[in-house]
Amino acid sequence: MKKFTYRVTDPVGIHARPAGLLVKEAAKFSSKVTITKGAKSVDLKRLFGVMALGVKQGDEITITCDGADETEAASSIEAFLKANL
């Protein structure tokens, strides 16, 4: 299992467009990928779950990847977050 935390820097947080792109990025991998904010944890491959977290600027999220391609998934999603959020 690979896990990392990220602090969202985008002024509007994870809103519809970047959430959709983030879900698409996670869907490229066979590993189970979850996003956690506070006590809530959802499947990163589910758009409405990601949107329901209501991630704002400055919030810290934790991404957990578990499966055959977890290392690639974690590094790819982390790179996506740094480039877009």
Side-chain angles (χ1 to χ4, degrees), residues 7-79:
R7 187 166 304 278
V8 177
T9 57
D10 189 284
V12 289
I14 300 180
H15 55 94
R17 189 187 62 75
L21 294 173
L22 185 57
V23 167
K24 213 178 261 190
E25 187 67 26
K28 294 178 184 177
F29 303 97
S30 63
S31 294
K32 179 179 181 190
V33 185
T34 57
I35 179 172
T36 306
K37 176 191 162 206
K40 290 174 87 178
S41 190
V42 299
D43 185 346
L44 189 56
K45 298 178 183 179
R46 305 267 182 207
L47 179 61
F48 291 116
V50 175
M51 294 294 298
L53 288 177
V55 179
K56 306 283 185 229
Q57 181 182 27
D59 287 349
E60 189 169 270
I61 57 172
T62 302
I63 306 294
T64 307
C65 303
D66 190 16
D69 55 359
E70 64 190 28
T71 304
E72 297 85 12
S75 61
S76 177
I77 292 167
E78 187 170 19

